[in-house]
Amino acid sequence: MQNALKTAGFSVVEIIISLLLVSVALISIASVFPRITGHKEAIREVDIAYSLATDVLESLYNQSLTTPIEAGLDTCLGAVEKGAVSFTACYSVNWAGSGSFMKEAFVTVKWDKLGRDHQVSLSGVVK
């Protein structure tokens, strides 16, 4: 009976070791959160840039339905401010191929974040 009482429960050393392991795990998990926030912000910026590029490409397509767009056209639009970031959209229109009556528009959106240049590009067919 006395033997069973000695083996029941946890010793103070076991509790301290388990608390140490749990605290190390929590600290390592907590150190990931600032990186997640940074990645989330970068993904948001790329999403905004793709949205702007899609808007420009869509407006070029809609414009081409009523008025033909000249091939060889290179244009940069004014800067668009979204939060603390300034996005610049540029596009060029070229013939889709030799003997083709379709033109292809290339849209590039650029922005600078913390001294590093970023860009996304889209292309689509216009008339």
Side-chain angles (χ1 to χ4, degrees):
M1 182 127 176
Q2 289 179 346
N3 212 8
L5 291 176
K6 290 182 182 177
T7 59
F10 299 105
S11 70
V12 173
V13 174
E14 291 171 329
I15 292 173
I16 290 174
I17 290 174
S18 65
L19 285 174
L20 244 157
L21 290 174
V22 168
S23 64
V24 167
L26 289 176
I27 289 172
S28 62
I29 289 171
S31 69
V32 172
F33 283 108
R35 284 187 260 161
I36 290 173
T37 304
H39 288 296
K40 192 168 79 171
E41 191 172 317
I43 290 170
R44 187 182 67 81
E45 290 169 3
V46 170
D47 189 40
I48 290 170
Y50 272 117
S51 177
L52 289 172
T54 303
D55 290 346
V56 171
L57 195 58
E58 186 176 334
S59 70
L60 285 172
Y61 178 76
N62 290 336
Q63 178 186 343
S64 73
L65 293 176
T66 58
T67 308
I69 298 174
E70 291 183 39
L73 180 67
D74 292 329
T75 305
C76 282
L77 306 173
V80 176
E81 301 290 330
K82 296 282 186 173
V85 183
S86 178
F87 297 89
T88 304
C90 298
Y91 64 88
S92 64
V93 179
N94 300 311
W95 289 106
S98 62
S100 175
F101 65 93
M102 300 298 281
K103 297 173 195 139
E104 191 170 15
F106 298 94
V107 180
T108 303
V109 177
K110 299 178 182 181
W111 71 100
D112 180 27
K113 181 71 175 201
L114 300 173
R116 295 182 60 206
D117 292 331
H118 302 279
Q119 75 176 31
V120 296
S121 299
L122 289 179
S123 65
V125 176
V126 296
K127 292 185 176 187

